Amino acid sequence: GNPCDPRQLDLAVFVSRYLSRIPQEDLDTLDKSKIFLPSKDNIMYRARDMTFDDAPWLSAIVKRTRHVFVHPDIGNEVARVLGSKSLRDVLSAHQNGMVKVPCPKHDALRQLLSKRTLHQREISKVILELIEVAEMRNVKQVSITLDYRSFGTMSLLHPCLAAAQGPSLVVCFHDVAMEVDEIVQLTSPVNYYSSSISGSGSCGGKGYPRFGRGLCGSFSLTDCLQVLSGRSLLIFDPNGEYFIEDQNQLVEVKESSDGNVETNQSPRNARRKKREKSSARNYGISHSFCEQFPDQFEPFLSLPYGANESMVNGRGTNGGPYYRGTLVRIPLRCEDGPPSMICDKTFTVQDLDELAVGLKEVLPQSLLFTYHLQGFSVDKWQSDGMEYENYLNCRVSSSPLSRRAHLEEMWENKSWKKDKSKLGKLFKSSWNPQRTSHTMQICSRLSDQESDIIDTYMITSILGPPRLREMACTESLTPLKLIPLVTLAAHVHRNQPTPELNTMEYKPAEGCIFVGLPTGVKTGLPFHINAPLFLHEWTGDVLLKKEDDDGFKTAFPGIRNITVLDKHGTEKMRSLALYVWNLQALTSSTSQLIPPMMKEIQDSIHLYCQDHRLLYRFWPFFGRVSPPYQAFLDRSIYAQLASPEMNIYLTEKSGFKSISEGCFAAPEYQLKEAADFFLKRMALFTTPKLVIEDLKRFGIDGRQLTPSVARGLLKGGRHVRGLTGQPREVLALLEYCLADLVDKDNFERTSPAAVLCRAELVGLYILPLADGSIGRIGDQIIAASAEQQSMLPAIKNKFLWPRAVTFLEQFFTKTGFMEACSFEYFGPKILSQYVSTVLPSEWEGKDFVEWNGGTSGDNRSIPSSLWIYQFWREVPIWDHDVIQLFRRWPLVPTKSGELASCGNVRFILYICTDAINDSLRTSLIDDLDQLHANNEKEDKCDLVRLATERRLRNNSITGPNIDSSLQEFWDMGTVDKEEAEEENISITEEIAPTISATISGEVEVIASSDTTEADDGDGTGEEFLDVPLSTSETHDTAREDVIDSEVANSGPNYDPSGSSLRSLYQILKSIECPLLEASFFTIEETAKILPGDRLGVTRAIVSTLSQCTNYWVSDASQNDSRLQWSALNSSQFDELLMHLSCHQGNRLSLMVSDLTAMKDLPLFETFNGMHISISDRDQNFTLNNSVDIESLRSYLPHSLQRKLLLDKPQFKDLYEDLNIRVLDEASILKQFVLKEFSSMAISQKEIVIKNILDKWSVLRESDGFVDVLKETSFVKRKENTGNGEVVFVKASQLLDPRNELLNLIFDKDRSCFPAEEFTTEASLNMLEEIGLQKLLTR
């Protein structure tokens, strides 16, 4: 009893700490009643009679009580290990009656929860399971709080509860306080397993199995479930982490630097030496108790659900405070919390955000089939917020009485139960399934919305469908108290807060399976199905196959077993086959309710929307149904939908009709604009294409308007008069009549497609023509663009409407289609047939005609520059065979402004790129672009008029607010890619046989044993092919600098833009040689007609010049050449001849034929300065350098001068090739002068004589010159008349005066002797050589 001195106190502290560190098994051998510890007053007391202060905020209050506190140097953990009591536990246990209650084991919970993936939908399902609990306890209003806050961690009932003070979910059951036993049972997996298949009641009502797992599902989110209800606070700790009572649980116990023992708080990754057993505590609550542990109760009392008011108001009552409600708090498992043996999933505030979105979708639907629940609210309390925010409110806005009356009518009707008495068995039951319907409205509003969203549902139920009723009355299922009641709910309307959202999309409603509450299992049907279905206890899936719950039955052998009596009264054990009941329930809900539901919606669709097409949002589209549930849609359902009394098939003009009163458009072929035509002639159903496909899938025939049927209706042409001038409508008919041929690729004569064309298409008047008339397939019809059609305006009745051409292009590319239907492409052949309709008749056969771009004169028949430009875009100028189609017409533009005949196109020169006039070419391109733009503008205006007319027509039929997107309606029911990816189950084939057997009664609800049983098994012929047209040609916008690679590779091996060719081009232009106006052609086209080499250039020029010289005459004179040679001077002639014979200083390899043609041209300059051709003369010559040209010109006769070409050294080789010889003066005298000497003038003779005398020494050496001179009378003599007249005689006719005898004899008659210049010695010597007589011979 005496206080310890400091030395004794230190020794006591040391020993105490040492004892706390020894192993647990050694510590257990000690008698703890003999362990003493020092108190705060340093007095030693038994450890088990002492209290350690783990609640310092409370110790001041109780310091004067009987509590003996352990000395602070000992430490709380050491004191607890050695047997001292916790102040918290002492106060909570003894002051408020804390008792331990059963707690689920973590391994049992893990087994129950581990099969489910905690995605957002599964977290929402935890909330729904709590809502089921609320419905079972007759709760009318449930509030859900997403609490993002974290609370204080000091004043807690246990220090380890600090980890549960973070963000949480709180669910409040208003006005209903649950009993402790009831709460404990709802947390028990064992209790859940035993009651999950019982029909004693759930959220689905009486006769429905359990939807959820009670409070067990909450442990997938938390490890410390907390429930405040009535006068109790229950805390469940399945992991044993929140009520730790043994030090050896902790990861490590270490001594601090000051000697105190410190414990490492338990992180999630901590390892425990030994885990505490699961525990749960029930604390009795009072106002003072709440004040003693304010942090513990703040998460409850701070909520606006009346808990704090209940504590305050109950302070002075005899029984203490009582909270009239139930608060279920689910602290979210977080990363920093203690480790969990239940679930490894941790949560963040982002998960709360996602949960809020999920609850927005699922909570309003959860009110569809509840009896007591009337509304939900969802609140958010942000981590830094002083007040909560209301996020969502939803409630039943229609009369609750009608909903309850509907359910009570079904639940309280027991007539479906079979009479099992012997008398009852003698009579056949007169039971008829009972159907009832009602309309329900659910109102919801989000925090950011100004007004409510009101969803209207049509709900139809059936009680006791035959097969399901029989199963419910079987001996095996009767103990489960199931009710054969199935219900469908259709979401028929939503009243949005904003007007623009009131129109519902053409997307089928999405339904799921309910067992009182939505299971989240989507069926793909447009209805919600509520049925007493059995769900897998672990996965929550609907049991649909025998093996679905094999794992569960293996884990709990015999859990599905029941005892039944056989026919001999012997008890036998059988296993329930719950999947069979599920299959029949789903079969009954679809086959018994879908057809009447469709009829009811059809009868009332006008109440909810103006667009009656929205009825088909509730059609059971087979392709949208999830594979596991497709087998529930059998032929009987669609047969009922096609029965005569089902007026659910919408027509465009006459409202809803039965299937026998109209005709379907074939689903695979869209009518589009053709619908108007057929609607005037028949009752045509306006339904999505998948409606017809579903009927066809099950062999239910409805009359269909197919393209083949349409072709038959159009035979005879009775429609022609009414559609003339309406090309859009005719095109729509054409599109539909060809719809079944789109996928055909071969139309060759013997192919099936070609046979069909000849049998059904040829002869039909369904071709819209350019003039507004209607063409017949089989006649000559031309496919051309609008620009092409403008070229031949006189035959519009043969052209297809341009928009029809665009549509038919997909067929024109198919082999044999054009031949099968007698179509022709616009091209050269068509142009050649009809070109006479646009050209002046007098042009035919002309080589050249005056044109000047078609702008001169008033003759409108003269083609314009744009027309010529278009013509040459259709006709390839490089293709000789195609050009010959137009050989009689002058259509080739030339630089002179004339049009040249296409038959002479080879003579129209293009040798140089200077022939392109950029300004003209740009103008032509702009004109064609403008023409194209005008045609497009006209087409767009036509489309706008069409859209306007269509909108007005839709408004007049279905109202002004309807969405006119027929494509969306036509495609209603199709599954997009995202929806298809969600369907990852494919077991239809496995379920279908079982369903069929279930319907026929071949499968029993109970199996023979628990063992798994084996499943039951079971061209054209023309030479000139027209090129395909392009309705959107790309025009040249400028002169191309780079030629296409293909053209460049095959282009000339010289530079067409070189200086030499430019010079040559200018010379040819100056003489008015026919030159191509290349601006009317593309660079690619003209590149193909360029000569391939430089020699080819010469040949082309020579050929054209020869043609102009020999055949084409001038317009001024029919005898003159059209070439203006006089425009050239001598140097230009020489330049022309040089360009024709040489290239870059090298002679061209001209052939004999080239040289012969060149001789025809007057390119050769003569001695007298004239330019002549040399082909029509026997000989032409040039002079060598020894000839004195001036002297020669003085005596050479003009007639002789034309034979002598002027000697030009640069043409020496050319003259040789042309056989032009080079002559000296002797040869000239010998060949030309001496022969003409007698006729020459005296002056010329004198000059000739002088040249001969002066140059005799040279001339005499020329072969034959002396012989010619002997025969020439060029020697002078005088007449003997005495008048002195001189005559010219041959040398042989004269005597040599140097002979004295002769001189003496003829002394008086000197006429026998040479005279004048011939009397010199030199002259006489020359004359002697050529025959002068020295002797007298007579």
Side-chain angles (χ1 to χ4, degrees):
N2 295 323
C4 298
D5 59 31
R7 184 174 180 179
Q8 291 173 329
L9 180 62
D10 290 342
L11 178 61
V13 170
F14 173 77
V15 174
S16 300
R17 291 177 177 175
Y18 176 80
L19 286 175
S20 68
R21 297 193 189 111
I22 65 175
Q24 183 66 37
E25 54 271 19
D26 294 339
L27 186 61
D28 291 340
T29 61
L30 297 177
D31 185 0
K32 291 184 180 181
S33 63
K34 298 181 179 180
I35 298 177
F36 288 78
L37 296 175
S39 68
K40 285 185 177 181
D41 299 328
N42 296 341
I43 299 174
M44 301 295 290
Y45 293 94
R46 294 183 189 275
R48 63 185 183 183
D49 296 333
M50 303 182 72
T51 302
F52 59 87
D53 187 4
D54 59 350
W57 73 94
L58 295 176
S59 60
I61 301 175
V62 300
K63 61 183 180 179
R64 296 182 180 179
T65 64
R66 58 181 178 83
H67 298 288
V68 178
F69 290 99
V70 177
H71 194 282
D73 289 346
I74 296 295
N76 292 341
E77 290 300 327
V78 173
R80 187 176 62 82
V81 170
L82 298 180
S84 296
K85 295 181 290 293
S86 164
L87 178 60
R88 301 184 200 226
D89 291 345
V90 170
L91 292 177
S92 60
H94 296 286
Q95 182 179 344
N96 296 285
M98 185 277 288
V99 294
K100 292 186 177 181
V101 294
C103 182
K105 303 297 188 290
H106 60 75
D107 51 354
L109 289 172
R110 187 175 186 88
Q111 182 186 43
L112 173 62
L113 305 176
S114 61
K115 302 297 183 182
R116 305 195 189 189
T117 302
L118 285 177
H119 45 67
Q120 180 265 325
R121 189 176 68 183
E122 188 62 36
I123 297 175
S124 299
K125 191 176 289 187
V126 172
I127 303 299
L128 295 180
E129 291 175 342
L130 297 179
I131 290 175
E132 180 186 37
V133 174
E135 172 68 14
M136 294 167 61
R137 292 290 289 120
N138 303 337
V139 176
K140 294 182 179 180
Q141 179 70 29
V142 173
S143 295
I144 302 165
T145 297
L146 309 180
D147 197 343
Y148 294 78
R149 298 175 295 172
S150 294
F151 299 93
T153 58
M154 177 177 290
S155 54
L156 301 178
L157 293 173
H158 193 284
C160 291
L161 288 172
Q165 291 293 95
S168 63
L169 287 172
V170 181
V171 179
C172 175
F173 302 161
H174 292 278
D175 300 325
V176 174
M178 297 180 62
E179 299 295 334
V180 173
D181 292 344
E182 189 176 12
I183 296 173
V184 171
Q185 289 179 4
L186 290 172
T187 62
S188 170
V190 175
N191 183 70
Y192 164 63
Y193 292 146
S194 63
S195 62
S196 61
I197 64 173
S198 171
S200 58
S202 70
C203 197
K206 300 175 181 178
Y208 269 60
R210 287 280 295 277
F211 163 82
R213 299 159 294 182
L215 297 178
C216 295
S218 303
F219 290 102
S220 60
L221 310 180
T222 186
D223 293 323
C224 184
L225 179 65
Q226 302 174 8
V227 182
L228 178 66
S229 179
R231 294 186 175 89
S232 298
L233 171 65
L234 289 86
I235 301 178
F236 296 88
D237 179 21
N239 285 314
E241 295 287 351
Y242 293 88
F243 293 122
I244 299 174
E245 298 179 357
D246 189 350
Q247 175 205 5
N248 291 325
Q249 287 179 260
L250 303 179
V251 176
E252 57 180 322
V253 178
K254 62 182 180 180
E255 187 173 331
S256 64
S257 58
D258 59 359
N260 291 324
V261 175
E262 295 181 352
T263 60
N264 187 20
Q265 293 296 328
S266 49
R268 288 193 54 77
N269 58 359
R271 298 174 119 190
R272 303 282 183 185
K273 295 181 181 178
K274 180 179 179 182
R275 186 166 300 280
E276 180 67 52
K277 295 180 180 180
S278 59
S279 63
R281 298 183 181 182
N282 174 18
Y283 294 93
I285 58 177
S286 65
H287 184 269
S288 60
F289 187 47
C290 294
E291 288 181 339
Q292 291 174 356
F293 298 94
D295 290 341
Q296 186 70 63
F297 286 94
E298 185 180 3
F300 297 96
L301 302 184
S302 61
L303 295 174
Y305 301 140
N308 186 48
E309 291 79 355
S310 297
M311 297 300 108
V312 174
N313 296 336
R315 179 186 306 179
T317 60
N318 294 330
Y322 181 86
Y323 176 54
R324 186 177 177 82
T326 302
L327 289 174
V328 180
R329 183 171 182 268
I330 305 174
L332 296 181
R333 187 182 299 111
C334 61
E335 185 66 29
D336 296 332
S340 174
M341 294 295 292
I342 300 174
C343 179
D344 297 328
K345 171 72 173 178
T346 59
F347 302 92
T348 63
V349 292
Q350 285 76 19
D351 293 299
L352 285 178
D353 294 336
E354 294 177 3
L355 176 60
V357 176
L359 292 177
K360 177 182 67 174
E361 300 296 329
V362 74
L363 284 183
Q365 297 179 358
S366 301
L367 294 169
L368 281 174
F369 305 109
T370 59
Y371 180 82
H372 298 285
L373 281 169
Q374 296 182 13
F376 302 111
S377 66
V378 178
D379 302 322
K380 285 185 177 182
W381 203 317
Q382 300 295 339
S383 58
D384 56 350
M386 297 303 293
E387 295 182 355
Y388 69 94
E389 169 197 0
N390 183 251
Y391 173 72
L392 170 69
N393 280 300
C394 54
R395 58 186 174 81
V396 177
S397 58
S398 56
S399 172
L401 296 178
S402 62
R403 178 181 60 152
R404 291 187 178 185
H406 171 80
L407 295 174
E408 290 172 355
E409 180 181 357
M410 293 297 175
W411 293 347
E412 295 176 2
N413 188 343
K414 306 300 182 183
S415 302
W416 60 269
K417 294 185 177 181
K418 291 185 177 180
D419 187 357
K420 297 184 180 180
S421 65
K422 293 182 178 180
L423 183 61
K425 294 179 180 180
L426 294 176
F427 300 96
K428 185 177 181 181
S429 174
S430 60
W431 168 257
N432 290 318
Q434 302 296 308
R435 287 192 182 92
T436 182
S437 301
H438 74 287
T439 300
M440 181 177 180
Q441 290 185 327
I442 297 176
C443 174
S444 60
R445 182 191 293 189
L446 291 171
S447 58
D448 58 351
Q449 293 175 339
E450 297 181 357
S451 56
D452 293 339
I453 297 174
I454 301 176
D455 292 301
T456 303
Y457 291 85
M458 183 169 289
I459 300 176
T460 299
S461 302
I462 184 171
L463 175 65
R467 181 59 183 155
L468 191 64
R469 171 178 173 258
E470 292 180 6
M471 296 176 67
C473 292
T474 58
E475 184 180 1
S476 55
L477 292 182
T478 299
L480 300 184
K481 301 179 182 179
L482 299 174
I483 181 173
L485 172 65
V486 291
T487 304
L488 292 188
H491 185 197
V492 295
H493 184 252
R494 167 169 287 186
N495 182 23
Q496 294 277 19
T498 52
E500 61 269 15
L501 298 178
N502 280 334
T503 301
M504 303 185 73
E505 298 178 354
Y506 291 122
K507 183 178 181 181
E510 294 184 356
C512 69
I513 290 179
F514 282 65
V515 183
L517 291 171
T519 63
V521 178
K522 294 183 179 180
T523 61
L525 287 167
F527 311 100
H528 297 306
I529 300 176
N530 185 39
L533 301 174
F534 295 102
L535 304 179
H536 194 291
E537 286 85 347
W538 288 346
T539 64
D541 297 329
V542 180
L543 299 175
L544 295 177
K545 294 185 297 180
K546 181 178 180 180
E547 61 272 16
D548 278 352
D549 57 351
D550 282 350
F552 181 75
K553 291 191 291 185
T554 301
F556 301 100
I559 195 169
R560 296 278 193 255
N561 291 352
I562 60 171
T563 302
V564 297
L565 298 176
D566 61 12
K567 62 181 180 179
H568 303 295
T570 305
E571 291 185 353
K572 289 194 174 181
M573 189 67 66
R574 292 290 185 267
S575 177
L576 285 173
L578 302 180
Y579 75 97
V580 178
W581 168 267
N582 286 350
L583 295 179
Q584 185 55 56
L586 291 172
T587 301
S588 298
S589 62
T590 55
S591 61
Q592 299 289 326
L593 290 180
I594 288 180
M597 175 68 86
M598 282 290 295
K599 180 62 177 173
E600 290 182 15
I601 296 175
Q602 182 269 322
D603 290 339
S604 57
I605 189 71
H606 65 280
L607 298 175
Y608 305 109
C609 62
Q610 295 181 354
D611 188 359
H612 294 175
R613 293 176 293 184
L614 293 178
L615 169 66
Y616 296 102
R617 295 180 64 246
F618 306 100
W619 179 271
F621 293 106
F622 188 86
R624 288 187 63 85
V625 177
S626 301
Y629 300 95
Q630 286 180 345
F632 298 107
L633 295 180
D634 58 10
R635 187 181 187 280
S636 65
I637 296 174
Y638 294 95
Q640 293 180 65
L641 293 173
S643 61
E645 62 272 13
M646 296 293 288
N647 296 327
I648 60 172
Y649 299 95
L650 182 64
T651 62
E652 191 71 27
K653 301 291 186 181
S654 307
F656 289 101
K657 299 287 185 181
S658 67
I659 196 172
S660 60
E661 296 177 301
C663 185
F664 285 103
E668 60 271 30
Y669 310 114
Q670 295 189 34
L671 278 170
K672 299 181 180 177
E673 297 302 322
D676 289 341
F677 175 82
F678 293 108
L679 283 171
K680 297 175 183 178
R681 291 159 177 80
M682 63 180 65
L684 189 63
F685 292 136
T686 304
T687 64
K689 60 184 179 181
L690 292 184
V691 170
I692 309 145
E693 288 187 5
D694 286 342
L695 295 174
K696 289 174 62 178
R697 183 191 300 273
F698 292 97
I700 298 171
D701 295 327
R703 289 185 298 170
Q704 289 193 36
L705 175 62
T706 63
S708 180
V709 172
R711 292 191 288 265
L713 291 173
L714 296 173
K715 289 286 186 181
R718 292 187 298 273
H719 60 286
V720 173
R721 177 179 297 180
L723 292 180
T724 298
Q726 303 181 50
R728 294 195 304 267
E729 289 74 5
V730 179
L731 177 58
L733 288 180
L734 175 63
E735 291 179 0
Y736 191 70
C737 288
L738 296 181
D740 57 346
L741 299 178
V742 172
D743 58 347
K744 309 295 183 185
D745 295 323
N746 183 12
F747 287 83
E748 294 180 350
R749 184 169 184 80
T750 58
S751 66
V755 173
L756 186 146
C757 285
R758 290 193 295 270
E760 298 186 8
L761 276 177
V762 173
L764 291 184
Y765 285 89
I766 55 173
L767 297 177
L769 301 183
D771 65 344
S773 61
I774 302 176
R776 186 173 73 97
I777 294 181
D779 295 341
Q780 184 194 37
I781 303 296
I782 304 168
S785 66
E787 292 79 17
Q788 292 168 331
Q789 293 182 19
S790 67
M791 297 180 67
L792 299 175
I795 59 168
K796 278 193 172 184
N797 60 341
K798 293 183 179 294
F799 283 126
L800 275 173
W801 191 38
R803 202 180 300 167
V805 175
T806 302
F807 163 70
L808 287 172
E809 279 184 343
Q810 59 182 314
F811 292 94
F812 291 159
T813 57
K814 300 177 184 292
T815 305
F817 178 82
M818 299 193 71
E819 291 78 10
C821 297
S822 300
F823 287 111
E824 293 186 69
Y825 270 128
F826 182 90
K829 188 173 70 172
I830 296 298
L831 266 174
S832 67
Q833 292 175 7
Y834 300 102
V835 72
S836 61
T837 64
V838 293
L839 298 179
S841 58
E842 61 270 18
W843 281 15
E844 187 173 8
K846 294 290 187 67
D847 290 327
F848 291 90
V849 295
E850 290 293 335
W851 176 58
N852 291 321
T855 58
S856 62
D858 297 329
N859 189 351
R860 295 186 178 181
S861 64
I862 295 177
S864 65
S865 297
L866 177 59
W867 193 95
I868 295 295
Y869 181 63
Q870 289 180 267
F871 175 84
W872 289 110
R873 291 184 70 82
E874 301 295 334
V875 178
I877 192 171
W878 48 266
D879 192 327
H880 173 74
D881 292 335
V882 173
I883 293 293
Q884 289 307 301
L885 293 173
F886 306 91
R887 59 186 177 273
R888 294 191 55 79
W889 293 99
L891 294 170
V892 183
T894 65
K895 282 291 182 179
S896 64
E898 299 172 297
L899 292 177
S901 172
C902 291
N904 296 322
V905 69
R906 66 184 183 278
F907 298 119
I908 311 302
L909 292 176
Y910 177 70
I911 60 172
C912 176
T913 55
D914 275 8
I916 300 176
N917 184 334
D918 288 338
S919 176
L920 174 59
R921 193 158 188 267
T922 301
S923 175
L924 292 171
I925 292 172
D926 291 343
D927 289 346
L928 187 57
D929 286 341
Q930 185 61 45
L931 177 62
H932 182 72
N934 291 340
N935 291 329
E936 282 191 338
K937 181 179 180 181
E938 183 178 351
D939 190 58
K940 288 180 180 178
C941 291
D942 186 65
L943 290 175
V944 170
R945 288 194 298 270
L946 173 63
T948 303
E949 292 172 5
R950 184 187 306 165
R951 183 169 57 253
L952 293 175
R953 182 173 62 251
N954 287 338
N955 289 346
S956 64
I957 294 173
T958 56
N961 296 324
I962 203 67
D963 184 3
S964 60
S965 179
L966 292 177
Q967 187 63 41
E968 292 183 12
F969 171 70
W970 188 252
D971 293 335
M972 186 188 295
T974 56
V975 181
D976 58 31
K977 183 178 179 181
E978 293 182 358
E979 291 175 324
E981 289 176 352
E982 292 180 1
E983 300 297 337
N984 53 10
I985 306 175
S986 181
I987 56 173
T988 308
E989 293 79 5
E990 302 174 6
I991 299 176
T994 305
I995 295 177
S996 300
T998 301
I999 296 173
S1000 61
E1002 298 175 1
V1003 177
E1004 294 294 336
V1005 183
I1006 55 175
S1008 59
S1009 64
D1010 280 336
T1011 58
T1012 303
E1013 298 179 359
D1015 293 334
D1016 296 334
D1018 50 11
T1020 68
E1022 297 291 334
E1023 179 181 0
F1024 310 113
L1025 295 178
D1026 292 340
V1027 294
L1029 74 154
S1030 172
T1031 57
S1032 57
E1033 300 179 40
T1034 302
H1035 306 298
D1036 303 314
T1037 57
R1039 174 179 174 180
E1040 294 88 340
D1041 294 324
V1042 181
I1043 299 174
D1044 183 76
S1045 60
E1046 180 180 353
V1047 176
N1049 292 338
S1050 60
N1053 57 6
Y1054 61 94
D1055 183 8
S1057 61
S1059 59
S1060 62
L1061 285 184
R1062 289 200 302 270
S1063 174
L1064 179 58
Y1065 171 77
Q1066 292 300 327
I1067 293 173
L1068 294 174
K1069 186 177 180 180
S1070 64
I1071 64 174
E1072 298 184 7
C1073 178
L1075 299 174
L1076 184 71
E1077 179 51 80
S1079 305
F1080 287 84
F1081 306 89
T1082 65
I1083 291 294
E1084 291 81 1
E1085 291 285 311
T1086 53
K1088 293 180 180 180
I1089 61 175
L1090 278 171
D1093 53 22
R1094 186 59 181 79
L1095 178 60
V1097 174
T1098 293
R1099 287 174 176 168
I1101 295 173
V1102 170
S1103 176
T1104 297
L1105 295 177
S1106 297
Q1107 179 73 10
C1108 292
T1109 300
N1110 299 327
Y1111 300 102
W1112 293 338
V1113 296
S1114 170
D1115 291 338
S1117 174
Q1118 296 298 317
N1119 296 322
D1120 296 338
S1121 170
R1122 64 179 287 111
L1123 298 176
Q1124 303 298 318
W1125 293 109
S1126 60
L1128 301 182
N1129 57 33
S1130 178
S1131 63
Q1132 288 175 321
F1133 271 109
D1134 291 348
E1135 185 179 359
L1136 174 60
L1137 190 58
M1138 180 60 70
H1139 285 316
L1140 294 179
S1141 59
C1142 300
H1143 178 56
Q1144 295 180 351
N1146 298 319
R1147 278 290 310 281
L1148 297 173
S1149 301
L1150 297 173
M1151 299 178 64
V1152 174
S1153 59
D1154 303 326
L1155 296 171
T1156 301
M1158 191 178 293
K1159 288 180 180 181
D1160 290 338
L1161 305 177
L1163 303 176
F1164 306 97
E1165 187 175 3
T1166 63
F1167 192 78
N1168 63 355
M1170 296 179 63
H1171 286 82
I1172 64 170
S1173 61
I1174 59 176
S1175 60
D1176 57 347
R1177 291 168 174 78
D1178 296 334
Q1179 292 180 330
N1180 291 93
F1181 311 96
T1182 60
L1183 303 176
N1184 64 12
N1185 296 330
S1186 64
V1187 179
D1188 184 355
I1189 296 177
E1190 293 300 326
S1191 64
L1192 181 63
R1193 183 177 285 111
S1194 64
Y1195 66 79
L1196 192 65
H1198 288 289
S1199 61
L1200 296 179
Q1201 289 183 17
R1202 293 176 60 87
K1203 290 188 177 183
L1204 295 177
L1205 302 180
L1206 194 63
D1207 182 37
K1208 298 187 177 184
Q1210 67 269 32
F1211 300 135
K1212 179 180 179 182
D1213 294 336
L1214 174 63
Y1215 284 176
E1216 289 179 359
D1217 293 342
L1218 293 172
N1219 295 322
I1220 298 175
R1221 290 186 296 158
V1222 179
L1223 302 181
D1224 54 13
E1225 192 167 3
S1227 299
I1228 294 173
L1229 292 171
K1230 178 176 61 177
Q1231 295 186 25
F1232 300 108
V1233 177
L1234 295 180
K1235 291 181 180 181
E1236 302 289 337
F1237 188 82
S1238 61
S1239 60
M1240 295 173 63
I1242 293 299
S1243 59
Q1244 291 177 322
K1245 290 180 179 180
E1246 292 290 345
I1247 296 173
V1248 172
I1249 292 172
K1250 184 178 184 303
N1251 282 341
I1252 293 174
L1253 294 176
D1254 292 345
K1255 300 175 182 179
W1256 172 249
S1257 60
V1258 177
L1259 296 176
R1260 65 191 296 275
E1261 300 297 330
S1262 177
D1263 292 340
F1265 181 80
V1266 173
D1267 295 335
V1268 173
L1269 195 60
K1270 287 181 180 180
E1271 300 298 328
T1272 303
S1273 300
F1274 77 99
V1275 183
K1276 294 180 180 180
R1277 74 175 177 83
K1278 292 186 177 181
E1279 293 284 350
N1280 57 6
T1281 59
N1283 57 5
E1285 183 179 356
V1286 177
V1287 297
F1288 295 91
V1289 296
K1290 297 178 181 179
S1292 61
Q1293 295 176 332
L1294 297 176
L1295 299 176
D1296 187 352
R1298 292 175 299 179
N1299 188 321
E1300 293 181 0
L1301 177 61
L1302 296 177
N1303 194 27
L1304 182 60
I1305 298 173
F1306 298 103
D1307 178 50
K1308 294 183 178 181
D1309 185 9
R1310 302 305 294 181
S1311 62
C1312 296
F1313 297 102
E1316 296 181 3
E1317 61 265 41
F1318 288 101
T1319 60
T1320 65
E1321 184 66 24
S1323 299
L1324 292 175
N1325 290 336
M1326 180 197 71
L1327 293 177
E1328 183 181 358
E1329 292 184 31
I1330 62 175
L1332 182 64
Q1333 300 293 326
K1334 291 184 177 183
L1335 297 175
L1336 185 62
T1337 59
R1338 55 180 182 170

